[in-house]
Amino acid sequence: ERIFTTHLSDNDGKVDQHWLPGHGIIDWEKLGEIFPKSYEGFLTLEVYPTPSEREGEPQDFLEKAYKSIIRIKSIFKGSSNK
């Protein structure tokens, strides 16, 4: 009831790289186990492309980001697509 937005990014545990979820060490499945299933707020990505992602097209990165947030949403809702 008290969470209105959730800021998501991934990292290596040393530096706040703002990678797409799944690129770092955060265990999203485990986080999904404790995340409130009733959450109806916003899931916000604050992400920055990796060096190899920066070499690609911006549209490709945006598509990866979209797929990433859809995956995280399904994990948080308890319907993970493994």
Side-chain angles (χ1 to χ4, degrees):
E1 291 180 12
R2 301 183 78 191
I3 302 174
F4 297 101
T5 189
T6 301
H7 165 112
L8 303 170
S9 66
D10 213 336
N11 61 68
D12 65 1
K14 299 174 186 171
V15 179
D16 193 14
Q17 289 97 346
H18 295 275
W19 291 334
L20 289 172
H23 280 59
I25 64 166
I26 293 176
D27 185 341
W28 296 98
E29 299 286 339
K30 185 128 181 122
L31 185 58
E33 292 173 11
I34 61 171
F35 196 82
K37 301 295 182 230
S38 62
Y39 180 72
E40 295 292 332
F42 295 98
L43 296 176
T44 304
L45 288 178
E46 182 179 349
V47 295
Y48 190 76
T50 63
S52 64
E53 289 167 336
R54 285 193 297 274
E55 293 175 8
E57 294 295 320
Q59 180 68 30
D60 294 338
F61 181 73
L62 291 173
E63 288 174 12
K64 284 176 72 173
Y66 178 76
K67 289 177 183 175
S68 176
I69 198 67
I70 294 301
R71 178 178 166 266
I72 296 303
K73 180 180 176 184
S74 72
I75 289 171
F76 285 3
K77 289 293 184 181
S79 59
S80 175
N81 297 322
K82 293 182 183 180

Coordinates of all heavy atoms in Angstrom, one line a residue:
E1 N 0.8 -1.2 0.0 CA 0.0 0.0 0.0 C 0.8 1.3 0.0 O 0.4 2.3 -0.4 CB -0.9 0.0 1.2 CG -2.0 -1.0 1.2 CD -2.9 -1.0 2.4 OE1 -2.8 0.0 3.2 OE2 -3.6 -1.9 2.6
R2 N 2.1 1.2 0.5 CA 2.9 2.4 0.6 C 3.9 2.6 -0.5 O 4.5 3.6 -0.6 CB 3.6 2.4 2.0 CG 2.5 2.3 3.1 CD 3.1 2.3 4.4 NE 3.5 3.7 4.7 CZ 4.2 4.2 5.7 NH1 4.7 3.3 6.5 NH2 4.5 5.4 5.8
I3 N 4.1 1.5 -1.3 CA 5.1 1.7 -2.4 C 4.3 2.1 -3.7 O 3.3 1.5 -4.1 CB 5.7 0.3 -2.7 CG1 6.5 -0.2 -1.5 CG2 6.7 0.5 -3.9 CD1 7.0 -1.6 -1.7
F4 N 4.8 3.3 -4.2 CA 4.1 3.8 -5.4 C 4.9 3.6 -6.7 O 4.4 3.6 -7.8 CB 3.8 5.3 -5.2 CG 2.9 5.6 -4.1 CD1 3.3 6.0 -2.9 CD2 1.5 5.4 -4.2 CE1 2.5 6.2 -1.8 CE2 0.6 5.6 -3.2 CZ 1.1 6.0 -2.0
T5 N 6.2 3.5 -6.6 CA 7.1 3.3 -7.7 C 8.3 2.5 -7.3 O 8.7 2.6 -6.1 CB 7.5 4.7 -8.4 OG1 8.1 4.4 -9.6 CG2 8.4 5.5 -7.5
T6 N 8.8 1.8 -8.2 CA 10.0 1.0 -7.9 C 11.0 1.2 -9.0 O 10.8 1.1 -10.2 CB 9.6 -0.5 -7.9 OG1 8.6 -0.7 -6.9 CG2 10.8 -1.4 -7.5
H7 N 12.2 1.6 -8.6 CA 13.4 1.9 -9.4 C 14.2 0.7 -9.6 O 14.6 0.1 -8.6 CB 14.2 3.1 -8.7 CG 15.5 3.3 -9.3 ND1 15.9 4.4 -9.9 CD2 16.6 2.5 -9.2 CE1 17.1 4.4 -10.3 NE2 17.6 3.2 -9.9
L8 N 14.4 0.2 -10.8 CA 15.1 -1.0 -11.1 C 16.3 -0.8 -12.0 O 16.3 -0.1 -12.9 CB 14.2 -2.0 -11.8 CG 12.9 -2.4 -11.1 CD1 12.0 -3.2 -12.0 CD2 13.2 -3.1 -9.8
S9 N 17.4 -1.5 -11.6 CA 18.6 -1.6 -12.4 C 19.4 -2.7 -11.9 O 19.1 -3.2 -10.8 CB 19.4 -0.3 -12.5 OG 20.0 0.0 -11.2
D10 N 20.4 -3.1 -12.6 CA 21.3 -4.2 -12.1 C 22.7 -3.7 -12.1 O 23.1 -2.7 -12.6 CB 21.2 -5.4 -13.1 CG 21.3 -6.8 -12.4 OD1 21.9 -6.8 -11.3 OD2 20.8 -7.8 -12.9
N11 N 23.6 -4.4 -11.4 CA 25.0 -4.0 -11.3 C 25.9 -5.2 -10.9 O 25.4 -6.4 -10.8 CB 25.1 -2.9 -10.3 CG 24.7 -3.3 -8.9 OD1 25.3 -4.2 -8.2 ND2 23.6 -2.8 -8.4
D12 N 27.2 -5.0 -10.7 CA 28.1 -6.1 -10.3 C 28.3 -6.1 -8.8 O 29.2 -6.9 -8.3 CB 29.4 -5.9 -11.0 CG 30.2 -4.7 -10.7 OD1 29.7 -3.9 -9.9 OD2 31.3 -4.5 -11.3
G13 N 27.6 -5.3 -8.0 CA 27.8 -5.3 -6.6 C 28.9 -4.4 -6.1 O 29.2 -4.2 -4.9
K14 N 29.6 -3.8 -7.1 CA 30.7 -2.9 -6.7 C 30.4 -1.4 -7.1 O 30.7 -0.5 -6.4 CB 32.0 -3.3 -7.4 CG 32.4 -4.7 -7.0 CD 33.6 -5.2 -7.8 CE 33.9 -6.7 -7.4 NZ 34.9 -7.3 -8.3
V15 N 29.9 -1.3 -8.3 CA 29.6 0.0 -8.9 C 28.2 0.0 -9.4 O 27.7 -1.0 -9.9 CB 30.6 0.3 -10.1 CG1 30.3 1.7 -10.7 CG2 32.0 0.2 -9.6
D16 N 27.5 1.2 -9.3 CA 26.1 1.3 -9.7 C 26.1 1.6 -11.2 O 25.9 2.7 -11.6 CB 25.4 2.4 -8.9 CG 23.9 2.4 -9.0 OD1 23.4 1.4 -9.5 OD2 23.3 3.4 -8.7
Q17 N 26.2 0.5 -12.0 CA 26.3 0.7 -13.5 C 24.9 1.0 -14.1 O 24.9 1.4 -15.3 CB 26.8 -0.6 -14.1 CG 28.3 -0.8 -13.9 CD 28.5 -1.8 -12.7 OE1 27.6 -2.1 -12.0 NE2 29.7 -2.3 -12.6
H18 N 23.8 0.7 -13.5 CA 22.5 0.9 -14.1 C 22.3 0.0 -15.4 O 21.8 0.4 -16.4 CB 22.3 2.3 -14.5 CG 22.2 3.2 -13.3 ND1 21.0 3.4 -12.5 CD2 23.1 4.0 -12.7 CE1 21.3 4.2 -11.5 NE2 22.6 4.6 -11.6
W19 N 22.7 -1.3 -15.2 CA 22.5 -2.2 -16.3 C 21.1 -2.7 -16.4 O 20.4 -2.6 -15.4 CB 23.4 -3.5 -16.1 CG 24.9 -3.2 -16.3 CD1 25.5 -2.3 -17.0 CD2 25.9 -4.0 -15.7 NE1 26.9 -2.5 -16.9 CE2 27.1 -3.5 -16.1 CE3 25.9 -5.1 -14.8 CZ2 28.4 -4.0 -15.7 CZ3 27.1 -5.6 -14.4 CH2 28.3 -5.1 -14.8
L20 N 20.7 -3.3 -17.5 CA 19.4 -3.9 -17.6 C 19.3 -5.0 -16.6 O 20.3 -5.7 -16.4 CB 19.2 -4.4 -19.0 CG 18.9 -3.4 -20.1 CD1 18.9 -4.1 -21.4 CD2 17.7 -2.6 -19.9
P21 N 18.1 -5.2 -16.0 CA 18.0 -6.4 -15.1 C 18.4 -7.7 -15.8 O 18.0 -7.9 -17.0 CB 16.5 -6.4 -14.8 CG 16.1 -4.9 -14.8 CD 16.9 -4.4 -16.0
G22 N 19.2 -8.5 -15.2 CA 19.7 -9.7 -15.7 C 21.1 -9.6 -16.2 O 21.8 -10.7 -16.5
H23 N 21.7 -8.4 -16.3 CA 23.1 -8.2 -16.7 C 24.0 -8.3 -15.5 O 25.2 -8.4 -15.7 CB 23.2 -6.9 -17.4 CG 22.8 -6.9 -18.8 ND1 21.5 -7.2 -19.2 CD2 23.5 -6.6 -19.9 CE1 21.4 -7.1 -20.5 NE2 22.6 -6.7 -21.0
G24 N 23.5 -8.2 -14.3 CA 24.4 -8.2 -13.1 C 24.2 -9.3 -12.2 O 23.8 -10.4 -12.6
I25 N 24.4 -9.0 -10.9 CA 24.3 -10.1 -9.8 C 23.0 -10.2 -9.1 O 22.8 -11.0 -8.2 CB 25.5 -9.9 -8.8 CG1 25.4 -8.6 -8.1 CG2 26.8 -10.0 -9.6 CD1 26.2 -8.5 -6.8
I26 N 22.1 -9.3 -9.3 CA 20.8 -9.3 -8.6 C 20.1 -10.5 -8.9 O 19.9 -10.9 -10.1 CB 20.0 -8.0 -8.8 CG1 20.7 -6.8 -8.2 CG2 18.6 -8.1 -8.2 CD1 20.1 -5.5 -8.5
D27 N 19.6 -11.2 -7.9 CA 18.8 -12.4 -8.1 C 17.3 -12.0 -8.2 O 16.6 -11.9 -7.2 CB 19.0 -13.4 -6.9 CG 18.3 -14.7 -7.1 OD1 17.4 -14.8 -7.9 OD2 18.7 -15.7 -6.3
W28 N 16.9 -11.8 -9.4 CA 15.5 -11.3 -9.6 C 14.5 -12.3 -9.2 O 13.4 -11.9 -8.8 CB 15.4 -10.8 -11.1 CG 16.3 -9.7 -11.4 CD1 17.5 -9.8 -12.0 CD2 16.1 -8.3 -11.0 NE1 18.1 -8.5 -12.0 CE2 17.2 -7.6 -11.4 CE3 15.1 -7.6 -10.4 CZ2 17.4 -6.2 -11.3 CZ3 15.2 -6.3 -10.2 CH2 16.3 -5.6 -10.6
E29 N 14.7 -13.6 -9.4 CA 13.8 -14.6 -9.0 C 13.6 -14.5 -7.5 O 12.4 -14.6 -7.0 CB 14.2 -16.0 -9.4 CG 14.4 -16.2 -10.9 CD 13.1 -16.3 -11.6 OE1 12.1 -16.6 -11.0 OE2 13.1 -16.0 -12.8
K30 N 14.7 -14.4 -6.7 CA 14.6 -14.3 -5.3 C 13.9 -13.1 -4.8 O 13.0 -13.1 -3.9 CB 16.0 -14.4 -4.7 CG 16.0 -14.4 -3.2 CD 16.8 -15.6 -2.8 CE 16.9 -15.7 -1.3 NZ 16.4 -17.0 -0.9
L31 N 14.2 -12.0 -5.5 CA 13.5 -10.7 -5.2 C 12.0 -10.8 -5.5 O 11.2 -10.3 -4.7 CB 14.1 -9.6 -6.0 CG 13.6 -8.2 -5.7 CD1 13.8 -7.8 -4.2 CD2 14.3 -7.2 -6.6
G32 N 11.7 -11.5 -6.5 CA 10.3 -11.7 -6.9 C 9.5 -12.5 -5.8 O 8.3 -12.3 -5.6
E33 N 10.2 -13.4 -5.1 CA 9.6 -14.1 -4.0 C 9.1 -13.2 -2.9 O 8.2 -13.6 -2.2 CB 10.6 -15.2 -3.5 CG 10.9 -16.3 -4.4 CD 12.0 -17.2 -4.0 OE1 12.3 -17.1 -2.8 OE2 12.4 -18.0 -4.8
I34 N 9.8 -12.1 -2.6 CA 9.5 -11.3 -1.5 C 8.8 -10.0 -1.9 O 8.3 -9.3 -1.1 CB 10.7 -10.9 -0.6 CG1 11.8 -10.2 -1.5 CG2 11.3 -12.2 0.0 CD1 12.9 -9.6 -0.7
F35 N 8.8 -9.7 -3.2 CA 8.1 -8.5 -3.7 C 6.6 -8.6 -3.5 O 6.0 -9.7 -3.8 CB 8.5 -8.3 -5.2 CG 8.2 -6.9 -5.7 CD1 9.1 -5.9 -5.4 CD2 7.0 -6.6 -6.4 CE1 8.8 -4.6 -5.9 CE2 6.7 -5.3 -6.8 CZ 7.7 -4.3 -6.6
P36 N 5.9 -7.6 -3.1 CA 4.5 -7.7 -2.9 C 3.7 -8.0 -4.1 O 3.8 -7.3 -5.1 CB 4.1 -6.3 -2.3 CG 5.3 -5.6 -2.1 CD 6.4 -6.3 -2.7
K37 N 3.0 -9.1 -4.2 CA 2.2 -9.6 -5.4 C 1.1 -8.6 -5.7 O 0.6 -8.5 -6.8 CB 1.7 -11.0 -5.2 CG 2.7 -12.0 -4.9 CD 3.6 -12.2 -6.1 CE 4.6 -13.3 -5.8 NZ 6.0 -13.0 -6.1
S38 N 0.7 -7.8 -4.7 CA -0.4 -6.9 -4.9 C 0.0 -5.5 -5.4 O -0.8 -4.7 -5.7 CB -1.2 -6.7 -3.6 OG -0.3 -6.1 -2.6
Y39 N 1.3 -5.4 -5.7 CA 1.9 -4.1 -6.2 C 1.3 -3.7 -7.5 O 1.2 -4.5 -8.4 CB 3.4 -4.2 -6.3 CG 4.1 -3.0 -6.8 CD1 4.2 -1.9 -5.9 CD2 4.6 -2.9 -8.1 CE1 4.8 -0.7 -6.4 CE2 5.2 -1.7 -8.5 CZ 5.3 -0.6 -7.7 OH 5.9 0.5 -8.1
E40 N 0.8 -2.5 -7.6 CA 0.1 -2.0 -8.8 C 0.8 -0.7 -9.2 O 0.3 0.0 -10.1 CB -1.4 -1.7 -8.5 CG -2.2 -3.0 -8.2 CD -2.3 -3.9 -9.5 OE1 -2.2 -3.4 -10.6 OE2 -2.4 -5.1 -9.3
G41 N 1.9 -0.3 -8.6 CA 2.6 0.9 -9.0 C 3.5 0.8 -10.2 O 3.3 -0.2 -11.0
F42 N 4.3 1.8 -10.4 CA 5.2 1.8 -11.6 C 6.4 1.0 -11.3 O 7.0 1.0 -10.2 CB 5.6 3.3 -11.9 CG 4.4 4.1 -12.3 CD1 3.8 4.9 -11.4 CD2 4.0 4.1 -13.6 CE1 2.7 5.7 -11.7 CE2 2.9 4.9 -14.0 CZ 2.3 5.7 -13.1
L43 N 6.9 0.4 -12.4 CA 8.3 -0.2 -12.4 C 9.1 0.6 -13.4 O 8.8 0.7 -14.5 CB 8.2 -1.7 -13.0 CG 7.4 -2.7 -12.1 CD1 7.4 -4.0 -12.8 CD2 8.1 -2.8 -10.7
T44 N 10.1 1.3 -12.8 CA 10.9 2.3 -13.6 C 12.3 1.7 -13.8 O 13.0 1.4 -12.8 CB 11.0 3.6 -12.8 OG1 9.7 4.1 -12.5 CG2 11.8 4.6 -13.6
L45 N 12.7 1.7 -15.0 CA 14.1 1.3 -15.3 C 15.0 2.5 -15.4 O 14.6 3.5 -16.1 CB 14.2 0.6 -16.7 CG 13.7 -0.8 -16.8 CD1 13.8 -1.3 -18.3 CD2 14.4 -1.7 -15.9
E46 N 16.1 2.5 -14.7 CA 17.1 3.6 -14.8 C 18.3 2.8 -15.3 O 19.0 2.2 -14.5 CB 17.4 4.3 -13.6 CG 18.4 5.4 -13.8 CD 18.7 6.2 -12.6 OE1 18.0 6.1 -11.6 OE2 19.7 7.0 -12.7
V47 N 18.5 2.8 -16.6 CA 19.5 1.9 -17.2 C 20.4 2.7 -18.1 O 20.0 3.7 -18.7 CB 18.9 0.7 -17.9 CG1 18.1 -0.2 -16.9 CG2 17.9 1.1 -19.0
Y48 N 21.6 2.1 -18.3 CA 22.6 2.7 -19.2 C 23.2 1.5 -20.0 O 23.5 0.5 -19.4 CB 23.7 3.4 -18.4 CG 24.6 4.2 -19.2 CD1 24.3 5.4 -19.7 CD2 25.9 3.7 -19.5 CE1 25.1 6.1 -20.5 CE2 26.8 4.4 -20.3 CZ 26.4 5.6 -20.8 OH 27.2 6.4 -21.6
P49 N 23.3 1.6 -21.3 CA 23.8 0.5 -22.1 C 25.3 0.1 -21.7 O 26.1 1.0 -21.4 CB 23.7 1.0 -23.5 CG 23.5 2.4 -23.5 CD 23.0 2.8 -22.1
T50 N 25.6 -1.2 -21.8 CA 26.9 -1.6 -21.7 C 27.7 -1.2 -22.9 O 27.1 -0.7 -23.9 CB 27.0 -3.2 -21.6 OG1 26.5 -3.7 -22.9 CG2 26.1 -3.7 -20.5
P51 N 29.1 -1.3 -22.9 CA 29.8 -0.9 -24.0 C 29.4 -1.6 -25.3 O 29.3 -0.9 -26.4 CB 31.3 -1.2 -23.7 CG 31.3 -1.1 -22.2 CD 29.9 -1.6 -21.7
S52 N 29.1 -2.8 -25.3 CA 28.7 -3.5 -26.5 C 27.3 -3.1 -26.9 O 27.0 -3.0 -28.1 CB 28.7 -5.0 -26.3 OG 27.8 -5.5 -25.3
E53 N 26.4 -2.8 -26.0 CA 25.1 -2.3 -26.3 C 25.2 -0.9 -27.0 O 24.4 -0.5 -27.8 CB 24.2 -2.3 -25.1 CG 23.8 -3.6 -24.7 CD 23.1 -3.7 -23.3 OE1 23.4 -2.8 -22.5 OE2 22.4 -4.6 -23.0
R54 N 26.2 -0.1 -26.6 CA 26.3 1.3 -27.1 C 26.8 1.2 -28.6 O 26.5 2.2 -29.3 CB 27.3 2.1 -26.3 CG 26.7 2.6 -25.0 CD 27.6 3.6 -24.3 NE 28.9 3.2 -24.0 CZ 29.2 2.6 -22.8 NH1 28.3 2.4 -21.9 NH2 30.4 2.3 -22.5
E55 N 27.4 0.1 -29.0 CA 27.8 0.0 -30.4 C 26.6 -0.3 -31.3 O 26.7 -0.1 -32.5 CB 28.9 -1.1 -30.5 CG 30.2 -0.8 -29.8 CD 31.1 -2.0 -29.8 OE1 30.9 -3.0 -30.5 OE2 32.2 -1.8 -29.2
G56 N 25.5 -0.8 -30.7 CA 24.4 -1.2 -31.5 C 23.4 0.0 -31.7 O 23.7 1.1 -31.4
E57 N 22.3 -0.3 -32.3 CA 21.3 0.7 -32.6 C 20.5 1.0 -31.3 O 20.2 0.1 -30.5 CB 20.3 0.2 -33.7 CG 21.0 0.0 -35.0 CD 21.5 1.4 -35.6 OE1 20.8 2.4 -35.5 OE2 22.6 1.4 -36.2
P58 N 20.1 2.3 -31.1 CA 19.3 2.6 -29.9 C 18.0 1.8 -29.8 O 17.6 1.4 -28.8 CB 19.1 4.1 -30.1 CG 20.2 4.6 -30.9 CD 20.5 3.5 -31.9
Q59 N 17.4 1.6 -31.0 CA 16.1 0.8 -31.0 C 16.3 -0.6 -30.4 O 15.5 -1.1 -29.7 CB 15.6 0.7 -32.5 CG 14.3 0.0 -32.6 CD 13.1 0.7 -31.9 OE1 13.1 1.9 -31.9 NE2 12.2 -0.1 -31.5
D60 N 17.5 -1.2 -30.7 CA 17.8 -2.5 -30.2 C 17.9 -2.5 -28.7 O 17.3 -3.4 -28.0 CB 19.1 -3.1 -30.8 CG 19.0 -3.3 -32.3 OD1 17.9 -3.5 -32.8 OD2 20.1 -3.3 -32.9
F61 N 18.5 -1.5 -28.1 CA 18.6 -1.4 -26.7 C 17.2 -1.1 -26.1 O 16.9 -1.7 -25.0 CB 19.6 -0.2 -26.3 CG 19.7 -0.1 -24.8 CD1 20.4 -1.0 -24.1 CD2 19.1 1.0 -24.1 CE1 20.5 -0.9 -22.7 CE2 19.2 1.1 -22.8 CZ 19.9 0.1 -22.0
L62 N 16.4 -0.3 -26.7 CA 15.1 0.0 -26.2 C 14.2 -1.3 -26.2 O 13.5 -1.6 -25.2 CB 14.4 1.1 -27.0 CG 15.0 2.5 -26.8 CD1 14.3 3.4 -27.7 CD2 14.8 2.9 -25.3
E63 N 14.4 -2.1 -27.2 CA 13.7 -3.4 -27.3 C 14.1 -4.3 -26.2 O 13.3 -5.0 -25.5 CB 13.8 -4.0 -28.6 CG 13.0 -3.3 -29.7 CD 13.3 -3.9 -31.1 OE1 13.9 -4.9 -31.3 OE2 12.9 -3.2 -32.1
K64 N 15.4 -4.4 -25.9 CA 15.9 -5.2 -24.8 C 15.4 -4.7 -23.5 O 15.1 -5.5 -22.6 CB 17.5 -5.2 -24.8 CG 18.1 -6.1 -25.9 CD 19.6 -5.9 -25.9 CE 20.2 -6.6 -24.7 NZ 21.7 -6.6 -24.7
A65 N 15.4 -3.4 -23.3 CA 14.9 -2.8 -22.1 C 13.4 -3.2 -21.9 O 13.0 -3.5 -20.8 CB 15.1 -1.3 -22.1
Y66 N 12.6 -3.1 -22.9 CA 11.2 -3.4 -22.8 C 11.0 -4.9 -22.4 O 10.2 -5.2 -21.5 CB 10.5 -3.1 -24.1 CG 9.0 -3.5 -24.1 CD1 8.1 -2.7 -23.5 CD2 8.6 -4.6 -24.7 CE1 6.8 -3.0 -23.4 CE2 7.2 -5.0 -24.7 CZ 6.3 -4.2 -24.1 OH 5.0 -4.5 -24.0
K67 N 11.7 -5.8 -23.1 CA 11.6 -7.2 -22.8 C 12.1 -7.5 -21.3 O 11.5 -8.3 -20.6 CB 12.5 -8.0 -23.8 CG 11.9 -8.1 -25.1 CD 12.8 -8.8 -26.1 CE 12.2 -8.8 -27.5 NZ 13.1 -9.4 -28.5
S68 N 13.1 -6.7 -20.9 CA 13.6 -6.9 -19.5 C 12.5 -6.5 -18.5 O 12.3 -7.3 -17.5 CB 14.8 -6.1 -19.4 OG 15.3 -6.1 -18.0
I69 N 11.9 -5.4 -18.7 CA 10.9 -5.0 -17.7 C 9.6 -5.9 -17.7 O 9.0 -6.1 -16.7 CB 10.5 -3.5 -17.9 CG1 9.9 -2.9 -16.6 CG2 9.6 -3.2 -19.1 CD1 10.7 -2.9 -15.4
I70 N 9.3 -6.4 -18.9 CA 8.1 -7.3 -19.0 C 8.5 -8.6 -18.2 O 7.7 -9.1 -17.5 CB 7.8 -7.6 -20.4 CG1 7.2 -6.4 -21.1 CG2 6.8 -8.8 -20.5 CD1 6.0 -5.8 -20.5
R71 N 9.7 -9.1 -18.3 CA 10.2 -10.3 -17.6 C 10.1 -10.0 -16.1 O 9.6 -10.8 -15.3 CB 11.6 -10.7 -18.0 CG 12.1 -11.8 -17.3 CD 13.5 -12.2 -17.8 NE 14.1 -13.1 -16.8 CZ 14.9 -12.8 -15.8 NH1 15.3 -11.5 -15.7 NH2 15.4 -13.7 -15.0
I72 N 10.7 -8.9 -15.7 CA 10.7 -8.6 -14.2 C 9.2 -8.4 -13.7 O 8.9 -8.9 -12.6 CB 11.5 -7.3 -14.0 CG1 12.9 -7.5 -14.4 CG2 11.3 -6.8 -12.5 CD1 13.6 -8.6 -13.7
K73 N 8.4 -7.8 -14.5 CA 7.0 -7.7 -14.1 C 6.4 -9.1 -13.9 O 5.7 -9.3 -12.9 CB 6.2 -6.9 -15.1 CG 4.7 -6.7 -14.7 CD 4.0 -5.9 -15.8 CE 2.5 -5.8 -15.5 NZ 1.8 -5.1 -16.5
S74 N 6.6 -10.0 -14.8 CA 6.1 -11.3 -14.6 C 6.7 -12.1 -13.4 O 5.9 -12.8 -12.7 CB 6.2 -12.2 -15.9 OG 7.6 -12.5 -16.1
I75 N 7.9 -11.8 -13.1 CA 8.5 -12.4 -11.9 C 7.9 -11.9 -10.7 O 7.6 -12.6 -9.8 CB 10.1 -12.2 -11.9 CG1 10.8 -13.0 -13.0 CG2 10.7 -12.5 -10.6 CD1 12.2 -12.7 -13.2
F76 N 7.7 -10.6 -10.7 CA 7.2 -9.9 -9.5 C 5.7 -10.3 -9.3 O 5.2 -10.4 -8.1 CB 7.3 -8.4 -9.6 CG 8.7 -7.9 -9.3 CD1 9.7 -8.7 -9.1 CD2 8.9 -6.5 -9.3 CE1 11.0 -8.2 -8.9 CE2 10.2 -6.0 -9.1 CZ 11.2 -6.9 -8.9
K77 N 5.0 -10.6 -10.3 CA 3.6 -11.1 -10.2 C 3.5 -12.6 -10.0 O 2.4 -13.1 -9.8 CB 2.8 -10.7 -11.5 CG 2.6 -9.2 -11.6 CD 1.7 -8.7 -10.6 CE 1.3 -7.2 -10.8 NZ 0.5 -6.7 -9.7
G78 N 4.6 -13.3 -10.0 CA 4.6 -14.7 -9.7 C 4.3 -15.6 -10.9 O 3.9 -16.8 -10.7
S79 N 4.5 -15.1 -12.1 CA 4.3 -15.9 -13.3 C 5.5 -15.9 -14.2 O 5.4 -15.5 -15.3 CB 3.0 -15.4 -14.1 OG 3.2 -14.1 -14.5
S80 N 6.6 -16.2 -13.6 CA 7.9 -16.1 -14.3 C 7.9 -17.1 -15.5 O 7.5 -18.2 -15.5 CB 9.1 -16.6 -13.3 OG 10.3 -16.6 -14.0
N81 N 8.5 -16.5 -16.6 CA 8.7 -17.3 -17.8 C 10.2 -17.8 -17.9 O 11.0 -17.1 -18.5 CB 8.4 -16.5 -19.0 CG 6.9 -16.0 -19.0 OD1 6.0 -16.8 -18.7 ND2 6.7 -14.8 -19.5
K82 N 10.5 -18.8 -17.2 CA 11.9 -19.3 -17.2 C 12.3 -20.0 -18.5 O 11.5 -20.6 -19.1 CB 12.1 -20.3 -16.0 CG 11.9 -19.6 -14.7 CD 12.2 -20.6 -13.6 CE 11.9 -19.9 -12.2 NZ 12.2 -20.8 -11.1

